[in-house]
Amino acid sequence: MPATTLATPAPERLTGAIERVTFHSAETGFCVLRVKVRGERELMTVVGSAASVTAGEYLDAEGQWITDRQYGLQFKAQQLRIVPPSTLDGIEEYLGSGMVKGIGPHFAKTLVRAFGESVFEVIEQQPERLRTLPGIGPKRQERVTRAWAEQKVIRAIMVFLQSHGVGTARAVRIYKTYGEDSVERVRENPYRLALDIHGIGFKTADSLAERLGIPRDSLMRAQAGVRHVLQEIAGNGHCAAWREALIEQAATLLEIPAPLIEQAIEAELAEERLIAEPITERPALFLTPLQRAELGVARHVARLQAGDPPWGRIQTDRAWPWVEPRTGLQLSGSQRAAIARVLAAKVAILTGGPGVGKTTVVNSLLLLLQAKHTRVRLCAPTGRAAKRLSESTGREARTIHRLLEFDPETMGFKHTADNPLDLDLLVVDEVSMVDVSLMNQLLRAVPDHAGVLLVGDVDQLPSVGPGAVLADLIASGAVVTARLTEIFRQAEASRIVVNAHRINAGQFPEDPDPARPESDFFLIRRDTPEAIHDTLLHVVTRRLPERFGLDPVADIQILTPMNRGGLGARALNGALQAALNPATQPRLERFGWTYAPGDKVIQLVNDYDKEVFNGDIGRVVSIDLEEGEVTIDFEGRAVVYETGELDALALAYATSIHKSQGSEYPAVVIPLATQHYTLLQRNLLYTAVTRGRRLVVLIAQPRALAIAVKQTGARRLTKLRERLQADSG
């Protein structure tokens, strides 16, 4: 009896105006839309994928009607095309969405009332008519006209890109990068989008390439795939990949034979995008910039170690009676030994955990060197870390980027080997956060005669960017290192400090001492992720504010191992926003987030123009729907974002532990569940605990806590240690 096959139902078509964007993920494009369909009284739910959607736009979708067990009747779109609206209401909503700078909801209403369906034509062909409207002068008219002209070019590009599955937001970014050559550039090599444009990954570029007819087994695709896999590996902190592992991963991802991957690697090597170099005699492949950065760090360390320190020889035995009265602290034997070691070397490292007196050592050093008229500059990787360094030393400290004077026009630093920094000693704090590329840029700007002191906790998480610079420098044995381990009496009173060291030693944190009800460390055990979630919300919104007088937004930071999942940063941010800032107006939805004044936000990428960097946390001050602008306060500095730039931000009531490096908060709350398994590592928990200044609350499944304490992370694949040893030997 022949097998029967069920015929795939023919796709149905649905068109209508988007009334509301219920959900949109900027990462995946998945969206849930409420759509007004002609002839239907109720709004229809449409689910599908679009790079960008805005209320007021018109939707043309192909797919099937389905009945979801939880949400009922929905239209599941296989293809989803977004076009500008044609109805007056739709036009008004579209214009008022902030897509055209200078047109907000109020002005949109005025425009539609005045010009009706011909409003697009008036703006484009008769812009002078805009001045007949109240409140519209030459400047605003010119701004709207200019913005519309840009939109016209974008719309043409958009039509092309949307027909190939790319939406509005990405089209704008493509236009800003390539200008009027956008279509030509994309046709020529769609894979360049993944390299050139933030927010467009390999999968998007690959999908576009397929629609443009580029064969799946083309060399262009294989090369792009190899680069993508290596970039993903670099995104996990490695400077290189084992050759055989790279071939295997790329062949699996691209579903093409390994010989073609080999051919692609050879082509990338020939074009000098990759460099082949063994690590411990095993074949490895580097992205060229990372290999050069490693070489640069090793070379600059060797260069700076040559010669005598510019402060000369200091007789430390005579120095202690002079420096101790000035700091008001008596130095321990280990602290004196650390100072003596550092002063005797041009390049040195000072490392140790919380409560071991790193700040006391640094301040003593600075006093001694000040007496020798040594010109010292202080810096740290982030604004928060620089601020902490400045507060602890009483001296100006800058971020590394500000110290080197980043120039957005050239996308480079003003201070280089040809224009070095004017100093005798550079002190760098929180060095564990500094990746190999930034360390190379920093060291090359230090003049030959000067010294460098690197300060940090090597047991914390390594940098978000590639490399394990501090760990490699110490492990190489090529740089003088002073490691402080003694916990001082005042620090011993802190359960945060004690438990941080216990975790670092692979031991469980201790419960609060019943004799000390005002402990600064609390461990709350819960059996399920759901119980952790409910407890966390109660602790943040009620318990800590009531008992300790903490502001739940300004003072409390939730630090979670992951971004995704029920206890990930994304889900927790939604729950915390609903609890802490539910009704403030106006509200603006962009890239899957809803923002309102008062919301806590975090910067996700370095923005050198705005001088805001990955991990910086701010508060939304105001939202101007008319102008399409959002103002964020970062540590007392107001920064303005256009609505199209908001993909650089996310809510920050909860952040990943990785994002918290270099920061301290009055109180931290840490959820820990077995669903975080892949990231449950000792240095992750240690880093999270050491972020709390006054209070740490750990809400954990016992098994998850056990895993995190016992599991050490795998070492990053780098060659810096070898290079340093070769240069010093």
Side-chain angles (χ1 to χ4, degrees):
M1 186 175 171
T4 56
T5 56
L6 295 173
T8 305
E12 297 179 68
R13 191 171 176 214
L14 179 144
T15 60
I18 301 170
E19 291 281 325
R20 189 167 72 248
V21 181
T22 304
F23 177 79
H24 179 250
S25 167
E27 294 173 6
T28 64
F30 176 76
C31 54
V32 181
L33 312 172
R34 297 284 282 163
V35 178
K36 177 66 179 168
V37 178
R38 189 172 291 175
E40 298 288 342
R41 291 181 63 184
E42 302 290 328
L43 296 179
M44 299 288 106
T45 299
V46 177
V47 297
S49 287
S52 175
V53 282
T54 304
E57 290 179 310
Y58 201 75
L59 173 148
D60 187 347
E62 282 188 8
Q64 303 291 337
W65 287 101
I66 62 166
T67 302
D68 185 89
R69 194 175 295 173
Q70 186 174 354
Y71 298 107
L73 187 65
Q74 303 179 337
F75 189 84
K76 189 176 182 180
Q78 272 83 50
Q79 289 191 347
L80 205 154
R81 195 167 69 90
I82 309 287
V83 296
S86 55
T87 66
L88 289 180
D89 286 347
I91 290 169
E92 184 182 321
E93 196 159 4
Y94 178 74
L95 285 173
S97 69
M99 290 191 68
V100 181
K101 192 167 173 61
I103 302 180
H106 178 72
F107 190 30
K109 190 182 286 290
T110 304
L111 283 170
V112 173
R113 196 177 293 152
F115 304 118
E117 291 177 3
S118 60
V119 63
F120 294 151
E121 186 182 326
V122 169
I123 296 171
E124 193 170 315
Q125 298 177 15
Q126 301 169 301
E128 66 280 355
R129 291 178 64 187
L130 298 178
R131 293 193 212 173
T132 62
L133 302 177
I136 309 302
K139 281 189 178 177
R140 188 165 189 188
Q141 179 249 301
E142 187 186 335
R143 188 168 54 173
V144 170
T145 306
R146 191 167 58 247
W148 187 263
E150 189 174 276
Q151 281 292 322
K152 186 182 174 184
V153 178
I154 292 171
R155 282 200 305 277
I157 295 166
M158 231 163 55
V159 170
F160 166 78
L161 291 170
Q162 281 190 330
S163 68
H164 295 93
V166 181
T168 309
R170 303 300 195 276
V172 171
R173 290 202 172 273
I174 291 167
Y175 170 72
K176 282 184 175 178
T177 306
Y178 302 134
E180 294 181 8
D181 298 331
S182 296
V183 173
E184 186 184 330
R185 292 280 192 93
V186 171
R187 281 191 185 278
E188 187 182 280
N189 183 357
Y191 293 105
R192 71 184 347 140
L193 298 176
L195 290 174
D196 296 345
I197 299 171
H198 168 68
I200 297 184
F202 173 79
K203 288 181 180 176
T204 303
D206 197 35
S207 174
L208 179 57
E210 189 174 12
R211 289 170 182 253
L212 288 168
I214 293 171
R216 291 182 64 78
D217 61 352
S218 69
L219 186 60
M220 180 195 294
R221 180 171 182 264
Q223 285 184 245
V226 165
R227 277 199 309 277
H228 167 68
V229 171
L230 205 45
Q231 282 164 339
E232 289 285 295
I233 290 167
N236 290 323
H238 303 285
C239 289
W242 300 121
R243 185 174 181 124
E244 66 270 23
L246 178 62
I247 293 167
E248 186 181 333
Q249 286 182 50
T252 303
L253 173 75
L254 302 174
E255 297 179 334
I256 57 179
L260 184 55
I261 301 294
E262 291 269 19
Q263 191 182 341
I265 288 171
E266 292 307 316
E268 289 291 289
L269 289 168
E271 292 169 23
E272 296 186 356
R273 291 199 185 97
L274 304 185
I275 290 175
E277 199 177 19
I279 300 174
T280 57
E281 301 182 358
R282 186 177 168 189
L285 290 161
F286 291 77
L287 289 166
T288 300
L290 294 179
Q291 190 263 2
R292 288 176 178 165
E294 280 200 350
L295 283 172
V297 170
R299 187 171 65 250
H300 291 306
V301 166
R303 170 178 66 83
L304 292 167
Q305 285 177 319
D308 297 320
W311 48 87
R313 187 167 173 272
I314 295 175
Q315 291 182 308
T316 51
D317 288 345
R318 294 183 182 178
W320 312 134
W322 181 87
V323 77
E324 287 177 346
R326 285 164 173 78
T327 61
L329 295 166
Q330 187 171 354
L331 295 165
S332 69
S334 60
Q335 288 176 319
R336 288 182 174 187
I339 293 169
R341 291 204 77 192
V342 168
L343 286 172
K346 272 188 77 190
V347 180
I349 295 167
L350 177 67
T351 188
V356 296
K358 291 197 298 293
T359 299
T360 301
V361 168
V362 169
N363 282 333
S364 301
L365 278 163
L366 292 175
L367 277 172
L368 287 167
L369 292 171
Q370 186 180 6
K372 300 283 282 185
H373 306 292
T374 307
R375 295 168 302 157
V376 182
R377 301 288 295 274
L378 310 180
C379 68
T382 66
R384 282 181 170 243
K387 188 179 178 184
R388 281 175 53 208
L389 180 60
S390 188
E391 288 169 353
S392 67
T393 61
R395 302 161 188 265
E396 184 193 24
R398 295 188 177 187
T399 64
I400 294 172
H401 287 87
R402 284 198 177 143
L403 179 73
L404 297 178
E405 296 181 45
F406 185 83
D407 184 356
E409 286 186 15
T410 63
M411 293 302 289
F413 294 106
K414 290 181 181 178
H415 288 289
T416 63
D418 296 326
N419 181 29
L421 295 162
D422 186 20
L423 50 77
D424 298 318
L425 174 68
L426 177 65
V427 179
V428 191
D429 200 14
E430 296 286 357
V431 177
S432 62
M433 295 179 64
V434 183
D435 63 38
V436 68
S437 299
L438 187 56
M439 182 58 78
N440 180 42
Q441 298 287 351
L442 180 60
L443 293 180
R444 73 174 187 157
V446 179
D448 291 349
H449 80 277
V452 176
L453 174 60
L454 304 174
V455 184
D457 185 350
V458 73
D459 296 315
Q460 284 187 25
L461 284 169
S463 56
V464 173
V469 176
L470 182 59
D472 283 345
L473 284 165
I474 293 171
S476 72
V479 179
V480 169
T481 299
R483 183 160 194 160
L484 298 171
T485 57
E486 181 184 353
I487 304 174
F488 290 93
R489 191 177 301 147
Q490 62 270 29
E492 281 182 341
S494 165
R495 306 317 293 169
I496 296 174
V497 171
V498 169
N499 281 327
H501 284 275
R502 286 184 64 85
I503 291 164
N504 199 33
Q507 300 169 347
F508 278 77
E510 293 177 341
D511 285 307
D513 184 351
R516 297 180 62 245
E518 293 304 308
S519 175
D520 60 1
F521 185 99
F522 295 91
L523 172 58
I524 303 172
R525 294 173 177 85
R526 292 291 184 266
D527 292 331
T528 66
E530 293 76 19
I532 292 175
H533 183 277
D534 294 346
T535 303
L536 182 146
L537 287 181
H538 178 72
V539 163
V540 172
T541 61
R542 297 281 304 277
R543 189 76 174 133
L544 297 186
E546 289 171 4
R547 182 169 173 182
F548 296 96
L550 295 168
D551 183 306
V553 180
D555 296 332
I556 303 172
Q557 186 61 52
I558 292 83
L559 301 180
T560 181
M562 298 184 78
N563 281 310
R564 298 183 183 179
L567 291 173
R570 189 167 197 93
L572 288 174
N573 271 312
L576 287 158
Q577 185 186 45
L580 298 171
N581 193 26
T584 312
Q585 296 293 336
R587 302 182 85 77
L588 175 70
E589 186 175 328
R590 282 291 185 278
F591 302 102
W593 295 107
T594 299
Y595 299 101
D599 277 332
K600 183 157 62 170
V601 295
I602 187 168
Q603 180 76 11
L604 301 174
V605 293
N606 290 337
D607 188 323
Y608 300 105
D609 288 324
K610 296 185 191 313
E611 292 192 352
V612 185
F613 302 103
N614 188 354
D616 286 353
I617 287 179
R619 295 281 291 272
V620 178
V621 177
S622 63
I623 296 175
D624 189 330
L625 297 176
E626 291 290 324
E627 295 293 330
E629 292 179 345
V630 178
T631 303
I632 314 286
D633 181 323
F634 288 100
E635 302 279 343
R637 193 168 66 91
V639 180
V640 177
Y641 289 74
E642 294 180 18
T643 52
E645 298 174 317
L646 294 179
D647 60 342
L649 295 173
L651 290 177
Y653 297 96
T655 68
S656 71
I657 295 168
H658 284 85
K659 290 284 187 189
S660 73
Q661 288 175 264
S663 299
E664 272 190 354
Y665 312 95
V668 299
V669 178
I670 308 162
L672 219 60
T674 51
Q675 63 182 229
H676 300 140
Y677 182 81
T678 54
L679 287 170
L680 292 178
Q681 293 171 0
R682 189 183 299 169
N683 60 354
L684 187 93
L685 181 56
Y686 173 77
T687 300
V689 167
T690 55
R691 299 309 89 201
R693 191 162 59 246
R694 287 167 48 194
L695 189 65
V696 171
V697 180
L698 180 58
I699 310 170
Q701 282 179 286
R703 177 165 159 72
L705 180 59
I707 295 167
V709 168
K710 298 300 178 189
Q711 192 163 263
T712 55
R715 200 177 86 80
R716 291 181 168 185
L717 186 57
T718 71
K719 196 174 177 174
L720 181 58
R721 186 195 307 191
E722 281 185 54
R723 301 188 201 280
L724 288 159
Q725 288 169 336
D727 283 356
S728 66

